[in-house]
Amino acid sequence: MAPAPAAPPPPPPLPLLPLLPLLLVGRPLLAAPGQGAGTWARFARLPYPEDQLFLHDTFPEGFLWGAGSAAYQTEGGWRQGGKGASVWDTFAHRPPAPSGPATQPAGGDVASDSYNNLFRDAEGLRRLGVSHYRFSLAWARLLPNGTAPLNPAGLAHYSQLLARLRELAVEPVVTLYHWDLPQRLQDAYGGWASPALPALFRDYAELCFRHFGGQVRYWLTMDNPYVVAWHGYGTGRLPPGVRGGPRLGYRAAHHLLQAHAKVWHLYNDHFRPTQRGKVSIALSSHWIKPQNMTEKNIKECQKSLDFVLGWFAKPIFIDGDYPESMRSNLSTLLPEFSEVEKKYIKGTADFFALSFGATLSFQLLDSHMKFQQLESISLRQLLYWISSEYNNPKIFIVENSWFVSGSTKRDDAKYIYYLKKFIMETLKAIRYDGVNVFGYTVWSLLDGFEWHRGYSIRRGLFYVDFQSHDKKLMPKSSVLFYQKLIEKNGFPPLPENQPTKGVFPCGFAWGIVDNYIQVDTTPSQFLDPNVYVWDVHQTKQLIKVNGVFTSKRKQHCVDFAAIRLQISLLQEMHVTHFHFSLKWSLILPLGNLSLVNHTLVHYYQCFVSELLRVNITPVVALWQPMAENQELPVSLAKCGAWENPETVQAFVEYAKLCFTNLGDHVKFWITMNEPSVKNLTYTAGHNLLKAHAKAWHLYDKEFRRSQKGKISIALQADWVEPACPFSKNDQEVADRILEFDTGWLAEPIFGNGDYPHMMRGWLHQRNSVDLYNFHLPYFSEEEKKLIQGSFDFFALSHYTTTLVGWEKEDALKYDHYLEVQMINDITWLHSPGRAAVVPWGLRKLLKWVKSKYGDVPIYIMANGIDDQNMVHDKLRVYYIQSYINEALKAYTLDNVNLQGYFVYSFNDKTAPKYGLYSYVANQYEPKPSMKRYREIIDNNGFPRPETPEVLCPEEIVSCPECHFFRTRKSLLAFIAFVFVAFIVTIFLISYYSRRVERRYK
């Protein structure tokens, strides 16, 4: 038997993870029951993160794109045109149980009123541009009693629908039975619990084939028999509501399978030769993953799929009998097929029709059928399992989507991103896994009655106001998304999706970040003036000789072992800049100059001077907020922190101390590093801006001329993207969040000296209509002049991108104050900490900064991601090279004045899970991400193979202590030569003198 398809290979180091090539080494030609069990191990071996990246590719030519609906969910007209009652009509109309809710959820009496709006629905199909439309025939509309006579009005309705679809060149995919069994059959026979139903169903199908078969190429006998049997006749959760327990549920399923087989054979024997159609059954399934990858758990996962999907699929697609796991576990509960019945049922499907979605696949799945394993929404893995388990059938996805809140009207972003994920997984199943999928059906065309969920959720592409009389269809954002996707037949590669080649300019700052450097002021052993003797006979230890001292030499920077180690690691990385923050709370413990920690200041002096000695530029932040007291001196933290105006002057005094003591070594200052706007009051932000501006002017007036440095503020600036790209409302929300998150502190400094107009306007509006009282302070004209322009460059930290929308969907992720809904694109790669990896967001942010604040020099002061793998941080490797590549696009294509890029973070000791060096057992080890970053630094980007190597002149970092030596190299060489000659001469004189003495003796 041929091996399963190989996993896509990992990409070469740079082409920024191109499309993974399709390697189909071969597929199983003949499946055997249980062969799908290899699915979990296969997907666990696929290369990470390459296999999880978005695939920019198209579907095979001729791929079918459609939408679907079901009669009871959308038709309404339950008493119109002679229609009979169905079990769902009866179920919805039953009086509430004494212990249940006071009112039953509304049923499908009217629903979307599609019965009276046939042309309205057809217009929606035309607008989408679909190739097919799946709908169901209401058995009770055609045969009100479930059997003859035929209802002419029902026949005319469906004939008219099929005619309209033919005019639109839309292929009908027709379901004979979608849960709405005629009530008369339930009353007279007991429904599917009766062995009489298969023959009655065959008669109904024959009528449909005879009247509609000439216009229908794809037939589905029934939808999701699992739900009908288990919840209709076992649990009683759904119509007809019979609580017959497992035994009756399995019996009903037995009859459903017999009914399906009868209809398939009927079509095959009598209608296929002339109508040339195909017949199958729509089977729904969940997906399940093991709690851990043990053989036992994988078997339990296989059993879970057997009990839900295999219950019906194995008899039809393999051997006519139930899965062995069911037979061995259920004993006499499970009916048996005779050998004749097995042969009759086996092979009764012309394709595999699959339904996969929230309602059918998960919400109606009994918890005990998970067998203590974990649910998953991986459609791709399910498709591969079906392909492996059932002889690689042609698969038609006849129902798929998720849902949104019943209150969502137009911008259904959550729905779009689930749709995007499922379609992407289908594409990967085709391109990477060799699964034979030939069509996809989104569920549903329009909002309708959602079974046990009533009208509390929506699944339609088109919005329906159920309270309105005319029930007009209003396109949601998902209509535009799906329409564009159909036009493009997938997600074709676009230039902006492709990695670029090129290099950054000479002098580009390549840096690394450590929030706070490791401070260890323990003196070297050579600074100890005591004398010791070694007790070689007893204790084997050094014993101090009391009262005896040696001369104490002056302390040198090289005495600090911690500094030497950190410098050596930075040199190994080949960075040109190192960014860290000082600890205000330790340098000035009392918050003022009455007590200065001179030991720590000296340590910082040593650290930056040693950086300069190895030609690494120190980038020093005066203050960075941390959890404890915001890293402020305790006295200031207790007195209101930044709420207190006195903190402003305290910061200026602290800044002056740092400029005075470190300024000769530091030419790159950050006043405040990443002040968190999430935890900042408007008053605190007001004072923080004034403190920054005063520190900047202090440096500008008193230190810049002599120290020749530059200074600015570093702001955290993640990109904010509208969840629905077609929505004006979502765009307005994204603009608002950008102003509140970044513009709040950026606009006064880099813009007009005051807060963003949008921010003031929004707060004024909120204060006037709500109970809020958010006061945004005002700057005086003098303060505006002080703050405006207090920068030498724009420094930003960027980590991720967020999606925002205006429609309230999830209360836990909704900000009432800003009226914004946070949305998650589940196709994005996410870190273990749930940070989204969205490289293009950095490029958009850089363009936004340029558009708002002009051609200002920009430094990306921090950019990084957490990665759970402490040794092979593959996610971080991808993250770094992808984000740097987007930064290169901003520089080369968008003409952004980008001057530098810094990775966060240096090591795991100070930033666990973020470091480029691991820290285990007091040892630092470089991770693959460090080596990849070093390679990019050495290449100064991503040069084209044909690009000639550009040798940038080495930039010598200013070092006051080094100036004497660098300007007198020739003199120093001569002195060294003379010194060496003198030593050699003394040695020779001593040597020959001793020889002469021995000769005379």
Side-chain angles (χ1 to χ4, degrees):
M1 186 170 291
L14 203 128
L16 246 120
L17 307 211
L19 298 178
L20 300 175
L22 175 63
L23 295 179
L24 296 180
V25 179
R27 295 205 56 85
L29 298 178
L30 292 174
Q35 194 165 330
T39 300
W40 292 277
R42 176 189 186 270
F43 280 89
R45 293 192 304 267
L46 292 181
Y48 176 83
E50 295 88 345
D51 184 67
Q52 294 188 20
L53 298 178
F54 197 86
L55 173 59
H56 293 281
D57 201 352
T58 56
F59 285 80
E61 187 177 352
F63 191 81
L64 302 178
W65 294 104
S69 68
Y72 185 75
Q73 291 185 279
T74 59
E75 275 188 2
W78 79 287
R79 284 179 170 174
Q80 283 184 259
K83 178 184 175 294
S86 73
V87 292
W88 265 97
D89 292 319
T90 305
F91 192 78
H93 296 156
R94 76 194 191 285
S99 59
T103 58
Q104 290 292 109
D109 291 2
V110 179
S112 318
D113 201 22
S114 289
Y115 182 75
N116 297 302
N117 290 277
L118 182 151
F119 289 93
R120 175 205 67 181
D121 294 358
E123 177 59 23
L125 295 168
R126 187 198 62 78
R127 178 166 182 169
L128 286 170
V130 294
S131 57
H132 70 273
Y133 176 47
R134 180 193 170 191
F135 64 95
S136 72
L137 305 174
W139 190 345
R141 191 176 295 283
L142 287 167
L143 298 173
N145 296 319
T147 58
L150 174 66
N151 176 22
L155 182 65
H157 171 74
Y158 293 119
S159 296
Q160 188 178 31
L161 174 57
L162 289 168
R164 181 60 183 147
L165 293 178
R166 187 169 63 251
E167 292 172 3
L168 296 174
V170 174
E171 188 82 53
V173 178
V174 181
T175 308
L176 292 171
Y177 168 60
H178 202 127
W179 306 4
D180 48 353
L181 183 74
Q183 182 63 41
R184 181 66 179 273
L185 297 183
Q186 182 63 34
D187 295 339
Y189 299 94
W192 290 109
S194 168
L197 258 290
L200 297 175
F201 185 60
R202 179 196 178 282
D203 294 341
Y204 161 61
E206 183 175 9
L207 178 147
C208 296
F209 294 154
R210 181 168 289 112
H211 287 281
F212 309 127
Q215 303 172 69
V216 179
R217 281 201 309 151
Y218 293 100
W219 290 97
L220 300 173
T221 56
M222 58 187 68
D223 183 87
N224 200 352
Y226 165 83
V227 168
V228 175
W230 192 253
H231 290 302
Y233 295 88
T235 67
R237 187 177 175 187
L238 297 178
V242 179
R243 297 180 182 177
R247 186 178 299 277
L248 190 62
Y250 291 124
R251 189 194 309 166
H254 203 70
H255 298 150
L256 286 163
L257 277 166
Q258 290 172 328
H260 159 77
K262 280 182 177 292
V263 171
W264 187 89
H265 282 286
L266 167 70
Y267 189 86
N268 192 60
D269 296 342
H270 299 285
F271 295 96
R272 192 190 302 275
T274 56
Q275 296 179 1
R276 303 181 187 279
K278 298 179 184 297
V279 179
S280 189
I281 180 173
L283 301 179
S284 181
S285 182
H286 61 306
W287 181 246
I288 197 91
K289 63 181 182 182
Q291 293 206 33
N292 46 63
M293 289 293 289
T294 64
E295 185 178 352
K296 178 183 176 182
N297 285 344
I298 290 175
K299 284 183 178 179
E300 294 299 285
C301 288
Q302 182 78 8
K303 188 190 300 182
S304 176
L305 292 171
D306 281 345
F307 269 67
V308 178
L309 179 58
W311 184 4
F312 300 92
K314 181 175 174 287
I316 295 171
F317 290 92
I318 297 296
D319 59 5
D321 202 1
Y322 297 115
E324 181 57 36
S325 60
M326 292 185 74
R327 303 210 66 85
S328 59
N329 280 271
L330 298 175
S331 186
T332 58
L333 281 177
L334 198 64
E336 292 189 7
F337 291 115
S338 67
E339 290 303 317
V340 172
E341 287 176 320
K342 290 178 186 178
K343 292 178 181 178
Y344 190 72
I345 292 172
K346 176 183 175 182
T348 55
D350 301 321
F351 54 91
F352 197 111
L354 175 67
S355 298
F356 186 80
T359 304
L360 305 185
S361 303
F362 298 97
Q363 295 172 1
L364 293 176
L365 175 69
D366 269 15
S367 59
H368 74 273
M369 289 194 178
K370 301 175 193 174
F371 295 94
Q372 300 181 329
Q373 305 307 309
L374 306 173
E375 287 176 279
S376 168
I377 59 171
S378 178
L379 174 57
R380 177 185 172 189
Q381 293 187 43
L382 175 61
L383 289 169
Y384 183 84
W385 184 88
I386 290 170
S387 183
S388 301
E389 189 82 0
Y390 302 121
N391 281 333
N392 190 24
K394 293 182 177 180
I395 300 175
F396 193 172
I397 299 173
V398 294
E399 176 176 352
N400 177 239
S401 74
W402 210 247
F403 62 91
V404 292
S405 164
S407 62
T408 299
K409 293 184 178 180
R410 303 300 292 272
D411 293 325
D412 52 343
K414 174 185 171 183
Y415 185 91
I416 288 175
Y417 291 112
Y418 272 95
L419 210 58
K420 181 181 173 186
K421 172 184 172 61
F422 292 137
I423 295 172
M424 167 56 52
E425 293 209 335
T426 303
L427 179 61
K428 286 184 176 180
I430 295 170
R431 296 302 186 194
Y432 290 168
D433 309 327
V435 179
N436 191 356
V437 185
F438 68 90
Y440 178 90
T441 312
V442 68
W443 201 270
S444 62
L445 174 64
L446 67 167
D447 291 334
F449 174 74
E450 290 300 333
W451 308 117
H452 65 295
R453 299 292 299 272
Y455 296 98
S456 65
I457 62 171
R458 293 176 181 269
R459 296 182 69 196
L461 294 169
F462 287 90
Y463 173 80
V464 176
D465 181 356
F466 298 112
Q467 305 303 317
S468 67
H469 176 71
D470 55 6
K471 303 288 190 299
K472 287 184 179 178
L473 294 190
M474 292 187 287
K476 302 178 190 176
S477 291
S478 53
V479 166
L480 296 173
F481 167 79
Y482 195 49
Q483 182 185 57
K484 296 290 184 186
L485 187 140
I486 292 172
E487 286 178 6
K488 298 175 181 178
N489 198 33
F491 311 100
L494 300 173
E496 57 265 32
N497 303 139
Q498 306 306 307
T500 191
K501 296 284 188 179
V503 295
F504 291 92
C506 287
F508 190 78
W510 291 105
I512 189 72
V513 186
D514 205 353
N515 287 339
Y516 298 103
I517 60 172
Q518 180 185 347
V519 175
D520 183 0
T521 56
T522 304
S524 165
Q525 59 175 324
F526 301 110
L527 299 178
D528 189 349
N530 295 290
V531 174
Y532 300 85
V533 295
W534 186 13
D535 184 359
V536 296
H537 299 293
Q538 296 181 4
T539 64
K540 309 292 185 182
Q541 295 179 349
L542 293 174
I543 302 175
K544 184 169 72 173
V545 180
N546 294 325
V548 180
F549 303 95
T550 62
S551 58
K552 183 178 179 180
R553 73 164 175 81
K554 184 179 178 182
Q555 185 173 340
H556 299 294
C557 289
V558 292
D559 294 325
F560 296 117
I563 293 180
R564 295 200 304 272
L565 175 58
Q566 292 177 80
I567 297 294
S568 67
L569 295 177
L570 292 170
Q571 284 183 283
E572 183 182 26
M573 203 180 301
H574 299 179
V575 293
T576 62
H577 291 63
F578 179 57
H579 174 30
F580 67 95
S581 300
L582 304 176
K583 288 205 168 188
W584 184 4
S585 62
L586 297 183
I587 293 175
L588 297 179
L590 300 181
N592 56 49
L593 300 179
S594 63
L595 179 62
V596 178
N597 187 338
H598 290 288
T599 302
L600 182 58
V601 171
H602 174 68
Y603 187 90
Y604 283 133
Q605 288 174 331
C606 286
F607 193 91
V608 294
S609 65
E610 288 299 299
L611 283 173
L612 293 174
R613 189 177 61 81
V614 296
N615 210 30
I616 296 177
T617 301
V619 181
V620 180
L622 296 171
W623 173 72
Q624 175 167 346
M626 298 297 282
E628 187 175 0
N629 295 326
Q630 301 181 55
E631 197 46 54
L632 294 170
V634 176
S635 59
L636 296 178
K638 288 183 176 180
C639 293
W642 288 107
E643 297 275 339
N644 189 344
E646 294 183 5
T647 305
V648 175
Q649 189 55 38
F651 180 76
V652 175
E653 293 175 359
Y654 161 63
K656 186 171 184 178
L657 173 73
C658 295
F659 296 153
T660 302
N661 287 276
L662 302 174
D664 287 339
H665 305 84
V666 179
K667 309 303 178 188
F668 204 135
W669 288 100
I670 301 293
T671 55
M672 287 101 172
N673 191 53
E674 296 185 22
S676 175
V677 297
K678 305 293 184 187
N679 303 315
L680 206 61
T681 67
Y682 294 130
T683 301
H686 201 69
N687 290 331
L688 189 146
L689 283 167
K690 290 192 284 187
H692 155 77
K694 288 186 175 183
W696 187 90
H697 283 283
L698 169 70
Y699 187 85
D700 191 54
K701 292 176 182 177
E702 299 186 23
F703 296 94
R704 189 188 298 275
R705 180 173 296 179
S706 60
Q707 296 180 358
K708 297 180 172 54
K710 51 188 176 182
I711 182 170
S712 195
I713 187 173
L715 304 176
Q716 181 166 341
D718 288 335
W719 181 244
V720 182
E721 183 78 3
C724 292
F726 321 105
S727 168
K728 180 182 177 182
N729 290 333
D730 281 7
Q731 184 62 60
E732 289 176 356
V733 170
D735 293 341
R736 180 160 68 244
I737 301 305
L738 277 171
E739 293 293 2
F740 270 81
D741 284 359
T742 305
W744 174 11
L745 299 180
E747 185 64 27
I749 298 171
F750 301 93
N752 60 14
D754 200 358
Y755 298 114
H757 296 301
M758 179 184 292
M759 190 175 179
R760 281 206 185 278
W762 179 260
L763 291 176
H764 177 75
Q765 172 196 332
R766 298 299 287 167
N767 290 339
S768 63
V769 300
D770 293 325
L771 298 177
Y772 297 110
N773 186 21
F774 295 109
H775 173 63
L776 188 62
Y778 287 86
F779 294 113
S780 66
E781 290 303 316
E782 184 178 347
E783 287 172 335
K784 288 181 182 178
K785 292 179 182 177
L786 178 78
I787 296 171
Q788 185 181 21
S790 57
F791 69 91
D792 296 327
F793 51 88
F794 195 114
L796 61 90
S797 299
H798 176 85
Y799 301 99
T800 188
T801 291
T802 56
L803 289 170
V804 296
W806 71 278
E807 293 237 33
K808 185 177 180 180
E809 175 65 34
D810 182 352
L812 296 177
K813 296 181 180 179
Y814 187 80
D815 186 331
H816 291 271
Y817 165 49
L818 292 175
E819 293 186 354
V820 56
Q821 177 69 62
M822 301 300 172
I823 303 290
N824 181 32
D825 184 343
I826 55 176
T827 66
W828 286 351
L829 193 62
H830 286 81
S831 73
R834 301 308 300 159
V837 180
V838 193
W840 51 259
L842 174 59
R843 182 182 177 188
K844 287 196 172 187
L845 175 70
L846 295 172
K847 291 168 68 176
W848 181 83
V849 171
K850 179 183 177 182
S851 68
K852 280 190 69 72
Y853 305 120
D855 194 32
V856 57
I858 300 175
Y859 288 85
I860 301 166
M861 296 305 301
N863 178 235
I865 195 78
D866 62 297
D867 195 328
Q868 203 160 8
N869 194 313
M870 307 299 282
V871 179
H872 302 292
D873 55 344
K874 298 177 181 179
L875 175 63
R876 186 175 296 110
V877 170
Y878 169 75
Y879 181 97
I880 289 174
Q881 68 182 24
S882 300
Y883 274 79
I884 294 177
N885 198 265
E886 291 297 319
L888 180 63
K889 291 178 186 177
Y891 169 70
T892 57
L893 304 177
D894 308 324
N895 296 314
V896 172
N897 188 5
L898 188 61
Q899 301 283 317
Y901 172 88
F902 291 67
V903 168
Y904 180 84
S905 170
F906 183 16
N907 61 74
D908 283 342
K909 183 177 183 181
T910 53
K913 299 182 181 179
Y914 282 85
L916 270 60
Y917 282 89
S918 62
Y919 183 75
V920 180
N922 294 321
Q923 294 291 323
Y924 292 95
E925 291 294 335
K927 300 179 185 178
S929 57
M930 189 286 282
K931 298 173 183 177
R932 183 69 185 111
Y933 185 42
R934 182 174 62 192
E935 181 183 350
I936 294 172
I937 294 173
D938 291 344
N939 290 319
N940 201 29
F942 309 98
R944 295 179 176 85
E946 69 276 8
T947 302
E949 184 178 359
V950 178
L951 296 176
C952 294
E954 183 180 0
E955 182 179 347
I956 304 300
V957 181
S958 175
C959 172
E961 289 84 351
C962 305
H963 181 71
F964 173 85
F965 301 101
R966 286 181 180 144
T967 56
R968 295 168 174 82
K969 289 183 179 178
S970 299
L971 175 62
L972 291 173
F974 176 71
I975 292 173
F977 172 76
V978 171
F979 178 75
V980 171
F982 174 75
I983 294 298
V984 171
T985 303
I986 294 299
F987 172 77
L988 291 174
I989 291 173
S990 174
Y991 173 75
Y992 283 108
S993 295
R994 285 197 293 269
R995 288 190 61 182
V996 169
E997 288 176 6
R998 285 198 296 269
R999 186 180 301 169
Y1000 279 107
K1001 288 180 181 179

